[in-house]
Amino acid sequence: SQKIEQNSEALNIQEGKTATLTCNYTNYSPAYLQWYRQDPGRGPVFLLLIRENEKEKRKERLKVTFDTTLKQSLFHITASQPADSATYLCALGGAGSYQLTFGKGTKLSVIP
Amino acid sequence: DVKVTQSSRYLVKRTGEKVFLECVQDMDHENMFWYRQDPGLGLRLIYFSYDVKMKEKGDIPEGYSVSREKKERFSLILESASTNQTSMYLCASSFAGVRGNTGELFFGEGSRLTVL
């Protein structure tokens, strides 16, 4: 069965450093991958989408990579700030599919 | 801005009660979804709809039904609530996206349901 793993449940990082979150998957050939941010008690908010034929996407301090050979996506936040503290979710979608399958998320804490 | 509005933020119901969770989106999105989110289990898809009166089962449809009579509204129904349905319920919507893929999801704020 399909499996999505986000590297750790929690990640602590010092302010100003680059945070790197990992999303690995097995038994799946996604056509695209999305990353979301979720604050406590709120719904997730979309951040970035990357397609299978794209290696890298950037948006301001965010960068996402997608390696279909390694079956892995990396999500980077450069110059991290305490306001970046949240849970980050990856989600995978198949070609022509309406469904997204979510990972369980990584809770990032940026320490001042 | 896209807005997805869920009718109730917090509900407390008793076992066996019928529960309606309403969701309305204002961006003319084709797709609408209902997820539940539980600690340690993440977001799991219950049902989704890609058009009016159309519905598809997600990963955990048992104990739930849905209704989509209008494009902007998608309702989740618990016919007979049970304690294991205590959870955070999240509604989302999206455009159909490129090549039929789902575009970015816009989520509501969630409805926290407690079944006693």
Side-chain angles (χ1 to χ4, degrees), chain A residues 2-16:
Chain A
Q2 298 168 359
K3 195 171 180 183
I4 301 171
E5 287 186 350
Q6 295 192 239
N7 56 329
S8 55
E9 285 189 20
L11 180 67
N12 296 327
I13 192 164
Q14 207 71 34
E15 182 177 4

Side-chain angles (χ1 to χ4, degrees), chain A residues 87-108:
Chain A
T87 296
Y88 292 86
L89 307 169
C90 70
L92 278 66
S97 171
Y98 297 106
Q99 288 189 249
L100 284 177
T101 302
F102 281 83
K104 294 177 183 178
T106 296
K107 184 176 180 181
L108 175 68

Side-chain angles (χ1 to χ4, degrees), chain B residues 31-92:
Chain B
N31 302 335
M32 296 190 75
F33 306 81
W34 275 106
Y35 288 87
R36 65 177 282 179
Q37 187 172 33
D38 302 286
L41 295 176
L43 276 164
R44 293 179 293 167
L45 182 64
I46 305 171
Y47 267 99
F48 65 99
S49 168
Y50 53 89
D51 202 351
V52 174
K53 297 193 185 294
M54 304 302 289
K55 60 184 180 183
E56 294 283 344
K57 293 180 180 179
D59 299 316
I60 51 164
E62 296 79 18
Y64 303 94
S65 61
V66 290
S67 172
R68 193 165 180 202
E69 296 296 318
K70 293 185 178 181
K71 190 174 186 179
E72 68 271 17
R73 189 178 296 269
F74 192 35
S75 302
L76 180 69
I77 303 150
L78 288 67
E79 293 288 343
S80 178
S82 62
T83 54
N84 63 12
Q85 292 179 309
T86 292
S87 186
M88 170 70 90
Y89 289 88
L90 288 158
C91 174

Side-chain angles (χ1 to χ4, degrees), chain A residues 9-93:
Chain A
E9 285 189 20
L11 180 67
N12 296 327
I13 192 164
Q14 207 71 34
E15 182 177 4
K17 300 292 186 184
T18 296
T20 298
L21 285 65
T22 305
C23 179
N24 294 300
Y25 58 92
T26 56
N27 299 323
Y28 202 1
S29 296
Y32 59 99
L33 188 149
Q34 301 181 11
W35 283 89
Y36 290 80
R37 169 186 172 137
Q38 187 174 22
D39 292 292
R42 310 291 295 273
V45 175
F46 172 82
L47 296 174
L48 283 166
L49 178 151
I50 187 165
R51 295 193 166 83
E52 59 179 334
N53 60 349
E54 298 174 319
K55 296 292 184 187
E56 184 178 297
K57 271 278 185 75
R58 290 176 185 262
K59 180 182 176 182
E60 298 172 353
R61 294 185 295 113
L62 308 180
K63 184 177 87 171
V64 172
T65 63
F66 193 9
D67 188 326
T68 55
T69 302
L70 291 179
K71 296 185 182 294
Q72 181 181 79
S73 175
L74 299 179
F75 177 80
H76 306 273
I77 305 175
T78 58
S80 58
Q81 305 165 0
D84 295 326
S85 298
T87 296
Y88 292 86
L89 307 169
C90 70
L92 278 66

